[in-house]
Each structure stands twice: as C-alpha cells, then as structure tokens.
C-alpha cells in the first residue's frame, strides 16, 4: 500500500506569491493534518480535516487555508507569502480523529523556499 | 497551555544505550508519541503510550509516567543509522485531540 504522498517535493516562490500544496492520505484514512516545520524545530500544527470538515486550527494567520476533498485528499493554500513561510510542510494522515489509539503517519513533505 | 521539553542534543557511541527524556505539561493528556526524523526527511512513527509503563519494540522502548508528566525513549545497541532527531509529541483532548510536538532531540552516534 502506498503511504502518504505530497506534491510538489520542492518549491521556490517569491514574496507576495501564492502557493498550493497537495496531499493524498493513506488509503482508508479519513483524517489529514498539516504541519509547518522550520529548521531545528518540531512540526507546528496548522490544520486538521476529517470527513471534509475542519476539526482544528493552529495559531497561523488567515493567509493559511486548507480544504479536504471527497476522496480525502487535501490542499494547503498560503497567500501573500512571507520570507518566514520558508519551511518543510508536512501532511499526516490517520484513520479517524479523536480515537485515543489513532496514529498519524507523515508524508515526505514539501520544502517551500520563499525568496 | 501546553509545554513539551526535551534535550536539544545528545551524543552516544555505537553499540551503547541512550535514553532520551521528555517532560510535558498539559491539561488534557490523551497519549504520547515518539517519532524519528532523519535530516531532510519526514518523521516516522516509533511508539505510542497512553497508559503508564514500558512499551518495548525491538531495540526501542518507550516509558510513560502520567502522574509525573514524563516519558523516555530508550534506544539499545545503537547503530550509526540511529543518528537522527527524536520528536516527543503529546495529544491533548482539550484541544480537539491535536498532537503537539516538542522541538526534538538531535542524537549523534559516534563510531
């Protein structure tokens, strides 16, 4: 079975531009979470979606938005890019949300560089 | 609020044993995870603890004490490929079961 997939793997943008990152969860997983990881830090939670509805949002500005599609894949959108948005963006999928034994499995990430 | 603390860096020798500690403060503890992350790669799941005690999985073991807000990851028979960052993460039921990560411990293995 394929794991979590993300595209693109690398991306270079300039300040003020917009970016869309994509994620496909493990087959059968219905929950997708997005994380931002800057160098030397742990992943920071951005969003969680379950059954196409937002179930949680981290402390990120409104420039960050996301959605989940009927096939459970997800997009993360970032508008008006800033230099500080340069990071590894990780997508994690899990079977359900809220179950105490539920484990998140991460995709390979998208490395975003903002110049 | 929530706070997760783990050492920034550790060094150990190939073949030895190392213990990476993690302390946390959360009002809605609902499980603790350990992930391994090699440089430039995504985190990979190592272990999950929700009840007190030791969970053993091959060379890796994870321990949890909920009353002390404390966990450790024990790595035995260290191999060079174990050089990586180890992330402690806590699920918080008071925050919609969000998983909050610590900053990670960078482990260096010396030959």
């Amino acid at each position: 079975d394929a794991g979590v997939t993300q595209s693109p793997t690398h991306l270079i943008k300039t300040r003020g531009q917009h970016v869309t990152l994509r994620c496909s969860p493990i087959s059968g997983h219905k929950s997708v979470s997005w994380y931002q990881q800057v160098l030397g830090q742990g992943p920071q939670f951005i969003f969680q979606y379950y059954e196409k509805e937002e179930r949680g949002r981290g402390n990120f500005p409104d420039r960050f938005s996301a959605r989940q599609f009927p096939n459970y894949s997800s997009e993360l959108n970032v508008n008006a890019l800033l230099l500080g948005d340069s990071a590894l963006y990780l997508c994690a999928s899990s079977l359900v949300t809220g179950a105490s034994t539920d484990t998140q499995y991460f995709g390979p990430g998208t490395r975003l560089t903002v110049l | 609020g929530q706070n997760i603390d783990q050492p920034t860096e550790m060094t150990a020798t190939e073949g030895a044993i190392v213990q990476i500690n993690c302390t946390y403060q959360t009002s809605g503890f609902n499980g603790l995870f350990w992930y391994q992350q090699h440089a430039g790669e995504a985190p990979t799941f190592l272990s999950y603890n929700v009840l007190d005690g030791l969970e053993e999985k091959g060379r890796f073991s994870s321990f949890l004490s909920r009353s002390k807000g404390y966990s450790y990851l024990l790595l035995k028979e260290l191999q060079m490929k174990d050089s990586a960052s180890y992330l402690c993460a806590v699920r918080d039921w008071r925050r919609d079961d969000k998983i909050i990560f610590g900053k990670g411990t960078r482990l260096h293995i010396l030959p």
Side-chain angles (χ1 to χ4, degrees), chain A residues 4 25-31 68 71-72 93-96 103 105:
Chain A
V4 180
I26 293 171
S27 177
H29 284 196
K30 298 182 178 180
S31 180
Q68 187 177 34
N71 66 353
Y72 302 109
S93 82
S94 58
L95 197 58
V96 296
T103 297
Y105 296 92

Side-chain angles (χ1 to χ4, degrees), chain A residues 24-71:
Chain A
S24 291
I26 293 171
S27 177
H29 284 196
K30 298 182 178 180
S31 180
V32 169
S33 297
W34 287 95
Y35 293 84
Q36 180 196 65
Q37 187 177 25
V38 299
L39 201 62
Q41 302 291 316
Q44 296 293 309
F45 173 78
I46 310 176
F47 285 109
Q48 182 180 41
Y49 276 79
Y50 175 65
E51 289 284 13
K52 302 179 288 295
E53 291 191 4
E54 183 182 303
R55 295 295 297 268
R57 184 187 181 109
N59 189 24
F60 280 80
D62 292 343
R63 298 185 296 109
F64 289 76
S65 63
R67 55 180 176 169
Q68 187 177 34
F69 299 99
N71 66 353

Side-chain angles (χ1 to χ4, degrees), chain B residues 87-106:
Chain B
L87 301 166
C88 175
V90 173
R91 195 203 307 268
D92 188 344
W93 67 264
R94 287 185 181 270
R95 299 176 65 178
D96 298 323
D97 271 334
K98 280 194 276 290
I99 296 176
I100 308 300
F101 283 82
K103 294 183 178 181
T105 297
R106 197 155 48 249

